[in-house]
Amino acid sequence: DAATRGCDRFRRRHDERVKRTRRVNRHSRTRHKSRSVVDHDFSEMPAALLMSSTRGILRAFASAMTNPSDALNRLNQMLVEDLPPEKFVTMIFGILDPVARTFTYSNAGHPWPVFSNGHTEFLKDGSGLPLGVTDYKYTDQVVEMKPGTRLLFYSDGIGEAENRLREEYGSTRLLDFARDSGISPDSLLDDVSAFTGSGTFADDATVVLIESR
């Protein structure tokens, strides 16, 4: 079916390990804070152009959407129509409600977020296809931001960072490091950099941490 063909296309593109770029988009200073972490495939299309277009489309209507999944569903419809077949975008788009102490998000093919509060785990539920691949219906996931809760978001340049032996930093090391209550974006980037042994990243890396106190 269309979803299966879309998954196969995405896996083939991902295996090519094309260069990517990441940015963190922060907007809206209302009571509800929206956050998105974006990853683009731009093997031919300039990264700045694809980034600017995606952010512009999202910002045009996101503030009027009640749920993150509604925004991704609409954005995906536009990208499926406009992007070349070999292009796609991964994204986590979420709304932080500090009054209700919840974070509601929708995941379009991005690496699983890490949840920590008494235990640490990947939030795998609701992970959908990347944007622009095929028609798809995204869903929302709600996280209760009780005191002490941490949510870690990152691009795949973190988990795929390699050392001199071509070993990847990987999900196990990431999860172990995320258990540290003193974790910060800088400390994670430093740990991954030390693991590579080069002090640099072969791929761009983004880390976003949300903490509830």
Side-chain angles (χ1 to χ4, degrees):
D1 57 20
T4 300
R5 291 195 299 273
C7 288
D8 291 340
R9 288 167 54 195
F10 170 63
R11 280 193 288 267
R12 288 196 299 271
R13 298 172 196 173
H14 186 272
D15 289 343
E16 293 173 359
R17 293 178 181 273
V18 294
K19 186 178 179 184
R20 302 169 185 203
T21 185
R22 286 97 181 168
R23 298 291 186 270
V24 177
N25 172 31
R26 297 188 176 189
H27 58 90
S28 176
R29 297 185 179 278
T30 59
R31 182 174 68 90
H32 295 158
K33 309 295 184 179
S34 59
R35 297 289 184 266
S36 61
V37 181
V38 188
D39 185 347
H40 301 264
D41 166 13
F42 69 100
S43 52
E44 297 176 4
M45 184 180 294
L49 177 59
L50 186 53
M51 168 61 72
S52 177
S53 298
T54 303
R55 290 184 62 188
I57 295 171
L58 182 62
R59 284 189 167 191
F61 58 75
S63 61
M65 296 292 180
T66 304
N67 301 315
S69 61
D70 292 339
L72 291 193
N73 285 329
R74 183 170 178 182
L75 180 58
N76 184 57
Q77 291 175 353
M78 295 178 178
L79 294 180
V80 166
E81 294 175 357
D82 293 341
L83 286 183
E86 70 277 8
K87 302 293 181 234
F88 61 86
V89 176
T90 74
M91 174 186 295
I92 290 178
F93 182 68
I95 298 175
L96 177 64
D97 187 337
V99 176
R101 300 186 73 92
T102 60
F103 183 75
T104 305
Y105 73 95
S106 189
N107 188 348
H110 211 71
W112 301 317
V114 179
F115 170 90
S116 294
N117 192 348
H119 69 286
T120 302
E121 64 177 343
F122 289 112
L123 298 180
K124 301 180 181 181
D125 292 342
S127 295
L129 290 177
L131 299 166
V133 174
T134 188
D135 291 337
Y136 189 82
K137 293 298 182 183
Y138 296 92
T139 60
D140 292 313
Q141 305 298 315
V142 180
V143 179
E144 293 186 21
M145 300 298 293
K146 298 178 180 179
T149 298
R150 298 191 306 275
L151 288 178
L152 178 68
F153 305 90
Y154 54 94
S155 58
D156 59 8
I158 298 296
E160 294 178 0
E162 294 183 343
N163 61 17
R164 293 187 175 93
L165 298 178
R166 302 303 299 274
E167 298 171 330
E168 291 189 347
Y169 188 79
S171 58
T172 300
R173 289 186 180 87
L174 177 60
L175 205 60
D176 286 343
F177 194 84
R179 292 189 175 97
D180 183 356
S181 60
I183 187 177
S184 69
D186 286 341
S187 67
L188 177 56
L189 290 171
D190 289 344
D191 191 66
V192 178
S193 180
F195 171 81
T196 65
S198 63
T200 60
F201 291 88
D203 199 357
D204 295 332
T206 293
V207 178
V208 176
L209 179 66
I210 300 177
E211 297 181 273
S212 179
R213 299 178 179 177

